[in-house]
Amino acid sequence: MPTDSRILTLRGGAVTLLFLALAVLAGAQEPSGTPVPVRVTRTPSNVWSLTRNGKPYFIRGAGGADHLELLVKSGGNSIRTWGADEAGALLDRAQKLGLTVTVGIWLGHKQHGFRYDDPKMVAEQRAKAKGYVARFKNHPALLMWAVGNEMEGDGRDPAVWKAVEEIAADIRKADPNHPTMTVIAEIGEGGIKAKEVARLCPSIDILGVNSYGGAPTLPKRLKDAGWSKPYVVTEFGPNGPWEVGKTAWGAAFEPNSTEKAADYRMKYERSVAASSGWCLGSYVFLWSDKVEATPTWFGMFLPGTKERLGPVEEMANLWSGKYPEQRVPVLKAVTTSVANKEVAPDSSQTAQATVIGAGSLRYRWEIRPDDTSPSRPDPGQVAPAALTALTPSESGNPQVTFVAPDKPGAYRLYLYVRDGQGGAATANFPFFVRASATASDAGTAAKLPFVLYGDAGGSEPYAPSGYMGNAGAIKMDPACTEQPYRGKTCLRIAYTAPGEWGGVVWQNPANDWGEMPGGYDLRGATKLSFLARGAKGGEKVEFQAGLPDRKTKYYDTGNGKRGITLTSRWSRYEIDLRGQDLSRMKNGFVWVVAGTGKPVVFYLDDIRYE
């Protein structure tokens, strides 16, 4: 194993000699075996391919070291690791199963304390990489080396790429039989990461890209960035928690396992299959289960089991051209009264699933506290324990009635469906248990039905005083006589601007955004209903009961919303408020118009809680 004179310069004495001795010892542990040559080739017409022992080899891979027998049965041919500490046993196992391994060499991340401006740390990391290469370069299951994984940050630090290039150059000298790859988290703004690898890392043969929400457009973006060497999609799967919509309290919306299966297929077809001759294959994420944001977000298997979810069989079809004989359960519809809502403590709630599947389907519903922080890919992250006292037992009944937790906070309702034959499906719904207003902070008791606007006359309980957005473009006439639903008048609303957005909040007290006490106690109401029509039809308006902002002192204890495309005829619409704490509703009604591209005119009447 060649030594690096710079290590001797940077470190002196016995410590340096001991460190080098350990590195040499690591090389001395090199296993016996005959390497299988792997080459990156390019035709004169610029078609790239990977060959193994002289034969074309397209990577049908998965990240992880679990369920490898099923991976082979499904048509997979390779796995990847993120580090090399336990690569020896994994290479041996892969060899017995006919799989190859892309061995990852973990490089330090600056956000975890690694300093690429510290020569000592960089030299130690480089020497450790040399030891791994010496140990495993002759293993017949080795496919290639992956130098680092998402260590690059924003991609603009040349010191990171210098370290990557040094290690890749070392690998080329020590192991002529296996290509080098570096793995990055997406390609950066304007493709900066791909550009820097091309500019500063000539010893890198292949670019590995971990891509989730951006996977469908990855080939185009790589082309725009000028990347001319081949690439591998080293991680892909459902959009990450950082790429999806969130509730008002910050909980990410997770797609169910049936939706994820379709997403895996679409991303594979667009980022991998569509670029054959440039893309050398992929590693799907994750051929196991893990906790990241939730216990089910990225795992392709039910947590802690061998039961496969929809993405497993979808990848099997993409790899082998056929589905498993026994298909997993398909979620046709899952509904619950808590979905993405804020509910009252100890309130009665319901959930129901419509599932297609063979075998004797069993259903389990669980409530777990929810982590609303950004996705944390922490290997030690543990899922919050299920609230067993609130969890109905597993049964064959797809319907369930349950009680919301008594403590305020963020939660998720989880559904697990098993078919008893190795197949499963899963879904979850975030919800929030709000603290009830204290007796002194509750709103004024209201008698139902509680009318906010109508023809009955008298003073209205809420004032339409909270103008938002482009307030100058909002015109409201509460005594319009243009085709009222009944009686003599209706409320005419015009948003006259073609762009931007605008809206109005019905407030109590008027012009207050939560700094003063007030509002109404509307407990007992199950819905906000109203009549609406558009001037021409097709007008898109969002309506709300309450506002979701809990940062103010006197916030709404409940809220709900509904986006509606209006017709030119009067219709009654409802916002479901069942199970919510309505003890203090300071913002009784809200409308918002946004992004229409043209002025909007619509009419309202008979707005009431009932």
Side-chain angles (χ1 to χ4, degrees):
M1 172 179 171
T3 59
D4 189 340
S5 60
R6 281 173 292 182
I7 299 178
L8 295 173
T9 302
L10 295 168
R11 306 188 65 200
V15 174
T16 299
L17 294 175
L18 175 61
F19 182 82
L20 290 174
L22 290 173
V24 172
L25 180 61
Q29 295 172 348
E30 177 182 325
S32 60
T34 303
V36 177
V38 179
R39 301 281 185 266
V40 176
T41 66
R42 179 174 60 173
T43 68
S45 58
N46 208 36
V47 175
W48 293 92
S49 66
L50 200 64
T51 63
R52 184 170 182 263
N53 215 15
K55 298 178 181 179
Y57 191 89
F58 192 78
I59 301 171
R60 303 187 299 274
D66 297 330
H67 317 297
L68 297 188
E69 291 79 4
L70 180 59
L71 178 64
V72 174
K73 185 178 179 180
S74 301
N77 63 5
S78 187
I79 56 177
R80 68 166 289 218
T81 73
W82 288 262
D85 290 341
E86 300 178 4
L90 187 58
L91 284 161
D92 291 343
R93 186 181 174 201
Q95 176 68 11
K96 292 178 181 178
L97 293 171
L99 295 168
T100 64
V101 182
T102 288
V103 174
I105 297 175
W106 185 260
L107 300 188
H109 291 207
K110 290 192 287 186
Q111 64 265 38
H112 298 157
F114 192 91
R115 294 184 55 182
Y116 282 88
D117 61 352
D118 183 330
K120 175 182 174 182
M121 295 180 76
V122 172
E124 289 178 349
Q125 178 173 259
R126 183 177 180 184
K128 191 174 183 180
K130 286 183 177 181
Y132 289 135
V133 175
R135 287 169 61 188
F136 304 127
K137 67 180 182 179
N138 290 331
H139 201 292
L142 177 63
L143 182 68
M144 70 175 79
W145 301 98
V147 182
N149 182 82
E150 300 188 357
M151 67 286 148
E152 73 282 353
D154 64 5
R156 299 179 185 276
D157 184 355
V160 175
W161 303 123
K162 180 176 183 290
V164 169
E165 168 58 21
E166 288 176 343
I167 292 173
D170 289 342
I171 293 173
R172 278 191 169 185
K173 292 177 183 177
D175 180 10
N177 291 308
H178 301 99
T180 60
M181 176 171 69
T182 191
V183 178
I184 58 178
E186 264 299 342
I187 66 171
E189 183 179 356
I192 181 63
K193 298 180 185 181
K195 292 176 181 178
E196 291 297 86
V197 173
R199 184 172 73 92
L200 299 175
C201 302
S203 298
I204 289 295
D205 302 307
I206 302 166
L207 184 66
V209 185
N210 296 342
S211 185
Y212 292 89
T217 62
L218 180 60
K220 180 182 184 304
R221 291 184 291 115
L222 281 172
K223 182 178 179 181
D224 291 345
W227 180 255
S228 58
K229 291 182 180 180
Y231 72 93
V232 172
V233 184
T234 39
E235 288 182 21
F236 72 97
N239 286 12
W242 61 92
E243 298 173 308
V244 299
K246 293 179 173 58
T247 65
W249 58 92
F253 297 131
E254 178 180 347
N256 65 47
S257 59
T258 299
E259 294 167 334
K260 289 177 187 176
D263 198 38
Y264 275 85
R265 170 174 285 276
M266 179 271 290
K267 288 173 178 174
Y268 182 88
E269 290 175 340
R270 295 187 184 182
S271 66
V272 181
S275 295
S276 177
W278 188 21
C279 179
L280 305 182
S282 66
Y283 290 93
V284 67
F285 191 86
L286 175 70
W287 197 264
S288 184
D289 66 272
K290 68 172 298 201
V291 179
E292 187 172 341
T294 75
T296 56
W297 202 292
F298 291 108
M300 298 171 70
F301 292 79
L302 212 58
T305 76
K306 295 182 179 180
E307 293 164 297
R308 66 193 187 281
L309 298 167
V312 171
E313 67 176 26
E314 210 61 49
M315 292 310 303
N317 177 261
L318 289 165
W319 288 332
S320 68
K322 59 184 179 181
Y323 286 105
E325 184 176 341
Q326 177 63 48
R327 302 293 299 275
V328 303
V330 174
L331 301 178
K332 297 297 291 183
V334 186
T335 59
T336 172
S337 56
V338 300
N340 316 325
K341 293 182 180 179
E342 302 187 14
V343 303
D346 291 319
S347 57
S348 179
Q349 305 292 342
T350 61
Q352 177 176 329
T354 303
V355 183
I356 298 174
S360 178
L361 297 181
R362 308 288 290 178
Y363 301 81
R364 180 172 180 81
W365 302 86
E366 289 181 350
I367 297 172
R368 295 177 184 265
D370 195 32
D371 182 359
T372 58
S373 64
S375 173
R376 296 183 291 117
D378 177 4
Q381 191 174 357
V382 177
L387 305 179
T388 54
L390 302 174
T391 303
S393 61
E394 187 167 325
S395 71
N397 190 348
Q399 298 178 329
V400 67
T401 299
F402 62 97
V403 176
D406 59 352
K407 294 182 180 179
Y411 297 88
R412 277 183 197 259
L413 174 69
Y414 289 83
L415 167 65
Y416 306 97
V417 184
R418 294 176 166 91
D419 63 10
Q421 301 179 55
T426 185
N428 68 65
F429 302 91
F431 67 99
F432 195 93
V433 175
R434 302 194 82 161
S436 295
T438 62
S440 60
D441 287 341
T444 302
K447 183 179 180 180
L448 301 176
F450 188 66
V451 179
L452 279 69
Y453 174 86
D455 263 349
S459 60
E460 295 178 352
Y462 292 95
S465 54
Y467 280 63
M468 304 182 297
N470 186 359
I474 299 171
K475 309 295 181 184
M476 295 207 302
D477 180 3
C480 174
T481 58
E482 299 175 24
Q483 302 177 25
Y485 179 75
R486 59 172 172 243
K488 297 180 180 180
T489 61
C490 61
L491 173 61
R492 182 183 188 273
I493 298 172
Y495 180 71
T496 60
E500 300 181 279
W501 70 281
V504 173
V505 184
W506 270 246
Q507 299 171 312
N508 182 287
N511 300 303
D512 175 61
W513 296 92
E515 302 303 321
M516 296 187 291
Y520 289 89
D521 183 347
L522 297 170
R523 282 178 286 191
T526 60
K527 60 186 175 183
L528 169 66
S529 72
F530 53 94
L531 290 160
R533 70 175 177 87
K536 298 179 179 179
E539 296 84 353
K540 295 182 179 180
V541 187
E542 183 175 274
F543 298 96
Q544 295 181 215
L547 293 174
D549 185 5
R550 294 183 294 109
K551 297 178 182 179
T552 58
K553 183 177 181 180
Y554 298 100
Y555 55 80
D556 292 311
T557 55
N559 67 79
K561 65 181 179 180
R562 181 177 177 184
I564 299 172
T565 300
L566 301 174
T567 71
S568 59
R569 296 183 179 182
W570 285 105
S571 298
R572 181 165 291 280
Y573 301 97
E574 298 177 351
I575 296 176
D576 185 6
L577 299 173
R578 288 175 294 179
Q580 293 214 46
D581 175 13
L582 305 179
S583 58
R584 184 180 60 223
M585 296 297 290
K586 297 191 73 250
N587 302 285
F589 183 72
V590 185
W591 66 262
V592 175
V593 171
T596 61
K598 58 183 178 181
V600 172
V601 176
F602 62 100
Y603 303 83
L604 295 172
D605 206 348
D606 195 22
I607 307 170
R608 61 173 63 199
Y609 284 84
E610 52 189 354

